[in-house]
Amino acid sequence: MNTLQKLPVRYFLHSLVLGIVFISAFSSCISNKSIVYFQGDSLRYTAQEITQKYTPVIQPNDILSIVVGSLNAEANEIFNTPNSFTTATTNYSTTGGGARVQPLGYLVDADGSIEMPMVGKVKIGGLRTIDAADTIRTRLSSYLKEPSVIVRNLNFKVSVLGEVARPSIYVIPDEKITLPEVLSLAGDLTIYGKRENVMIIREENGKREYARIDLTSRDVLSSPYYYLHKNDIIYVEPIKTKINATDRNVQLVPIITSIVAAIGTLGILIINITK
């Protein structure tokens, strides 16, 4: 009689555990194909011509670091003062988060010009930083002997949101970065990130563009969005499994289903035993 009394309890616990494991595994199964990047030809070696290139140019509201050098160190300081660090802080970071001191820099105005001490306005909008340096060097030659000029963009940044390890705003010192590179800075996508539908939001030439990128395909390497532009926003959407997992009501469904199934099994066992 004791054995018969213990039998339903043992079967109840067994059914409950199996039910939870089975339903949880079924509901959270993620295909390997949906998380592998750059899928394509399985040959050991393939080559692809690089067709997409991006050369950033100076635009209004850019903040530039302009470092001037010459044989006269005292005169150089006049032009280098705007590069000095201020007490203002910003959350823009190359490591994703945290405040840092921000140089004042030279602000490019609406018509693409900067205001430099003694020189006055210098129009450099639409130029690459290397060409802007040549333009400024020419203007400085009237004030300095054998001047040298280095121009860098201080606010070339991209934003990464959604299902990545470290969502943040990332400042790019060399003004050139690819989509895989910035996702690497952000710690890669989480297992819940939808790799075949990454959104890139871009504002250029008075319009806002929305593009969807499939990281699981090698076609991303030839996409016009492979090289990111200044102020691009990358959003990684969560897969349905993550959305369901964060919904407490849905989260309870597997447990409730398992309990109901276990109770049903227990009832059948009791009926069979008591016959």
Side-chain angles (χ1 to χ4, degrees), residues 86-248:
T86 67
T87 56
T89 60
T90 176
N91 285 326
Y92 301 162
S93 173
T94 55
T95 57
R100 69 180 180 90
V101 180
Q102 172 68 37
L104 180 62
Y106 286 90
L107 178 65
V108 182
D109 63 23
D111 67 356
S113 300
I114 57 172
E115 185 78 27
M116 298 191 68
M118 299 176 63
V119 178
K121 277 200 169 188
V122 182
K123 189 171 180 61
I124 54 176
L127 300 178
R128 300 177 302 165
T129 53
I130 189 172
D131 297 326
D134 289 338
T135 299
I136 295 170
R137 187 182 300 109
T138 299
R139 294 287 298 272
L140 288 176
S141 59
S142 302
Y143 305 92
L144 301 173
K145 187 175 182 181
E146 299 181 11
S148 64
V149 178
I150 299 174
V151 179
R152 291 288 183 268
N153 194 320
L154 297 176
N155 64 338
F156 189 105
K157 61 185 184 294
V158 295
S159 303
V160 187
L161 306 171
E163 284 299 322
V164 294
R166 295 186 296 273
S168 185
I169 298 175
Y170 291 89
V171 176
I172 313 303
D174 57 0
E175 306 169 30
K176 184 177 181 181
I177 195 167
T178 65
L179 177 58
E181 286 173 336
V182 80
L183 290 176
S184 297
L185 285 177
D188 200 5
L189 280 67
T190 70
I191 194 66
Y192 295 110
K194 189 178 288 187
R195 285 155 172 77
E196 69 276 9
N197 198 28
V198 175
M199 178 187 288
I200 296 180
I201 304 172
R202 176 173 296 171
E203 294 186 10
E204 278 188 342
N205 302 319
K207 65 178 181 179
R208 184 178 292 112
E209 303 174 357
Y210 301 86
R212 299 279 183 173
I213 302 297
D214 183 0
L215 293 176
T216 66
S217 170
R218 290 186 187 178
D219 292 341
V220 67
L221 302 175
S222 57
S223 166
Y225 297 91
Y226 178 70
Y227 286 101
L228 297 176
H229 295 195
K230 189 184 71 171
N231 296 326
D232 277 358
I233 299 173
I234 299 95
Y235 172 64
V236 180
E237 184 179 347
I239 59 177
K240 289 184 178 179
T241 302
K242 174 62 178 295
I243 297 173
N244 292 342
T246 56
D247 188 334
R248 185 167 295 277

Side-chain angles (χ1 to χ4, degrees), residues 3-61:
T3 303
L4 293 178
Q5 289 176 342
K6 293 179 180 178
L7 185 62
V9 177
R10 187 171 68 251
Y11 272 90
F12 171 77
L13 294 175
H14 182 69
S15 301
L16 179 62
V17 172
L18 283 179
I20 294 174
V21 170
F22 175 77
I23 295 176
S24 299
F26 180 79
S27 61
S28 62
C29 180
I30 299 176
S31 168
N32 182 62
K33 189 174 182 180
S34 65
I35 62 175
V36 176
Y37 295 144
F38 314 131
Q39 297 174 44
D41 201 328
S42 60
L43 296 176
R44 287 288 182 181
Y45 172 81
T46 58
Q48 183 181 40
E49 184 179 355
I50 299 175
T51 57
Q52 300 299 329
K53 296 180 180 179
Y54 172 59
T55 303
V57 296
I58 296 172
Q59 302 174 11
N61 299 319

Side-chain angles (χ1 to χ4, degrees), residues 62-74:
D62 279 352
I63 300 176
L64 305 178
S65 165
I66 301 176
V67 179
V68 175
S70 71
L71 297 178
N72 189 335
E74 292 183 1

